[in-house]
Amino acid sequence: MATEIQAPVAAPAPADLVLRAGRTWIDGVFRPAAVVVRDGRVDAVVAVDAPVEALEDRTVPDEHVLLPGLVDTHVHVNEPGRTEWEGFASATRAAALGGVTTIIDMPLNSIPATTTVEALEVKRASAEGRVAVDVGFWGGAVPANAGSLDGLHDAGVFGFKCFTAPSGVDEFPHLDATQLRAAIEEVARIDALLIVHAEDPEFLVDHAALGGHYVDFLATRPVDAERSAIARVIEGARETGARVHVLHLSDAGALPMIRAAKDDGVRITVETCPHYLAFEAGTIPDGATEFKCCPPIRDDANRDALWAGVLDGTIDMIVSDHSPSTADLKTDDWGTAWGGIAGLQVGFRAVWTEALRRGVTLEQLLPRFTTGPAALVGFTDRGRIAPGALAHFAVFDPSATAVVEAAGLAHRNPVSAFAGLEARGSVTETWLRGRLVATADDGVTSVSGALVDRPVLAEAQP
């Protein structure tokens, strides 16, 4: 019988990239691994010394660690309309240099605010082709769009932000108690997510000029304002089944009620921010309104309790609340200065610096910057290093030390509460879809981010 001639079997094409590191963050631990990348995604995770045919084979220095790209779900880009405050080009450069590979843009302080489908399209057009990392968008819940959130939801926003007290900009009014309850009922009906700036105006102290003493500003936004508003959000979520999220928690005294609500099955998550974990009220200098934010930075005992909430898992994530402005709006009067802190590029380093002081490990910290915020917005393809995930990486040197200089940061205006901080750690490389996009030495070398919509997945609803 004649032997049948077989067609030759093609050898598998080389991988695009293999990254080898002695300490790679995988499934909550560091271990040696080689991460194989094809077509912008992780194809395999193999032994660190495994033979892999790849177009590019790189080894992370021994003193560095390989992390998934960080996820920041709370960023005010402000473009269009207030692009002099910030913008997609500058904000995403800052993100890339900070190891952040995905941001979700807040619906204010841009003009128009992202409260209609038409405004969302304006925002997308402003960002298209100009982003160095991936960018998604929150919608806004305001009195004018009550009952019509489903259109924005269908258009791909990740959820809806609302304020329970004045937002600081006229084009984004807050919801009163009745309107808040209606918004909670609406997001329950469409199975969306409501994210809440929770301060009750009944407890806020009206003021204009306050002078230069931080303690006078702190007194205008007492802890009762947060606790009252959070209690109202919990009540609404408990009674409707809505999914809710508490933004930028500064009052650790609210943690017991949040923990109890979670234990009862209420669909609630909570975040805090680097400035609440890195700073405390007693060390804020007079007139230093680069530290002004709402809700405010509170005392050292409160900071200790926030750290406890991070470590026990009550606080689900740490995100920047990057909210910059032009320098002239940061007057030396705590009453008139703009309230917002610019920290997108340095927030992770600042928290790591304080973590080291407290004996907190990188392993304890990383979920709050990766899988925590990714889960909030339904991402299963980022915030982790695993087959199928996007090849978004940050290479981090945990032992580096440098003083933060505001003029050296990539966001548009050189004002930051983190200026002068002797920060530990350095993001030395950032990779997006298997492509090196930023280094500590050369800055941002590629503007190749994508605009992303809300994943339509069961996993998006914990």
Side-chain angles (χ1 to χ4, degrees):
M1 177 182 294
T3 301
E4 184 178 351
I5 299 174
Q6 300 288 328
V9 177
D16 299 318
L17 168 72
V18 58
L19 270 178
R20 305 176 189 271
R23 290 185 292 166
T24 305
W25 177 252
I26 299 172
D27 294 333
V29 297
F30 283 112
R31 63 182 177 87
V35 182
V36 183
V37 176
R38 295 180 189 270
D39 299 324
R41 290 185 179 268
V42 176
D43 185 64
V45 179
V46 297
V48 69
D49 56 355
V52 178
E53 187 178 359
L55 300 177
E56 187 175 9
D57 192 321
R58 297 172 66 109
T59 299
V60 171
D62 289 342
E63 65 273 19
H64 297 181
V65 296
L66 180 61
L67 309 178
L70 310 183
V71 179
D72 192 334
T73 53
H74 195 150
V75 178
H76 293 268
V77 176
N78 303 336
E79 185 177 8
R82 290 191 176 93
T83 309
E84 70 275 13
W85 291 18
E86 189 59 288
F88 285 105
S90 51
T92 59
R93 284 198 305 269
L97 291 168
V100 178
T101 53
T102 303
I103 67 170
I104 312 296
D105 172 54
M106 283 292 166
L108 73 163
N109 303 300
S110 58
I111 303 173
T114 314
T115 56
T116 66
V117 173
E118 294 75 18
L120 175 63
E121 292 308 313
V122 170
K123 178 86 69 141
R124 283 177 168 150
S126 298
E128 188 70 50
R130 301 177 57 238
V131 295
V133 302
D134 287 0
V135 177
F137 303 97
W138 294 109
V142 295
N145 66 4
S148 58
L149 299 181
D150 50 348
L152 259 176
H153 197 240
D154 292 344
V157 299
F158 285 78
F160 299 93
K161 178 176 186 176
C162 71
F163 281 75
T164 61
S167 71
V169 292
D170 293 339
E171 65 276 0
F172 203 98
H174 71 286
L175 304 180
D176 64 24
T178 301
Q179 292 164 336
L180 173 67
R181 180 54 182 257
I184 292 173
E185 292 174 353
E186 185 172 3
V187 298
R189 176 178 59 80
I190 64 175
D191 201 21
L193 167 64
L194 189 70
I195 63 174
V196 186
H197 179 126
E199 289 183 287
D200 186 338
E202 179 181 344
F203 295 93
L204 301 180
V205 178
D206 288 336
H207 63 275
L210 286 172
H213 299 306
Y214 181 71
V215 65
D216 294 331
F217 168 65
L218 184 58
T220 69
R221 304 191 93 92
V223 294
D224 286 344
E226 283 191 85
R227 294 177 194 178
S228 173
I230 291 169
R232 187 171 291 137
V233 170
I234 290 172
E235 178 186 25
R238 187 188 301 276
E239 294 179 358
T240 64
R243 185 168 173 241
V244 296
H245 177 72
V246 176
L247 296 164
H248 45 47
L249 182 73
S250 83
D251 169 40
L255 287 171
M257 77 170 88
I258 294 170
R259 189 179 301 116
K262 288 185 173 190
D263 290 344
D264 290 344
V266 177
R267 300 169 78 196
I268 186 170
T269 49
V270 60
E271 71 187 39
T272 195
C273 304
H275 38 278
Y276 301 128
L277 298 173
F279 304 127
E280 59 94 8
T283 59
I284 295 177
D286 287 352
T289 61
E290 60 269 28
F291 290 89
K292 182 178 177 180
C293 57
C294 299
I297 296 166
R298 305 194 188 277
D299 63 28
D300 198 31
N302 181 81
R303 178 172 61 162
D304 289 344
L306 285 176
W307 271 100
V310 168
L311 296 176
D312 70 19
T314 304
I315 293 175
D316 300 273
M317 65 206 72
I318 303 169
V319 291
S320 68
D321 190 10
H322 178 73
S323 185
S325 70
T326 52
D328 62 292
L329 295 180
K330 284 292 192 180
T331 70
D332 60 4
D333 186 291
W334 289 96
T336 59
W338 172 255
I341 289 178
L344 177 57
Q345 186 173 336
V346 296
F348 178 59
R349 293 165 56 203
V351 175
W352 174 232
T353 302
E354 182 64 18
L356 282 171
R357 189 177 76 85
R358 293 171 177 269
V360 175
T361 67
L362 201 52
E363 290 92 333
Q364 292 171 288
L365 205 56
L366 281 169
R368 306 295 173 255
F369 287 92
T370 56
T371 50
L376 175 71
V377 291
F379 284 135
T380 58
D381 65 351
R382 60 195 79 200
R384 62 194 184 99
I385 298 175
L390 287 168
H392 289 184
F393 310 120
V395 178
F396 185 65
D397 179 357
S399 61
T401 303
V403 175
V404 176
E405 297 181 3
L409 299 175
H411 67 262
R412 185 177 297 276
N413 291 283
V415 178
S416 176
F418 298 98
L421 176 70
E422 187 172 339
R424 297 290 298 273
S426 173
V427 176
T428 60
E429 294 180 353
T430 303
W431 296 73
L432 201 71
R433 293 180 176 81
R435 180 177 182 180
L436 184 62
V437 297
T439 71
D441 292 334
D442 299 326
V444 175
T445 56
S446 174
V447 177
S448 53
L451 305 186
V452 294
D453 291 334
R454 183 189 78 259
V456 184
L457 297 170
E459 292 93 325
Q461 305 297 326

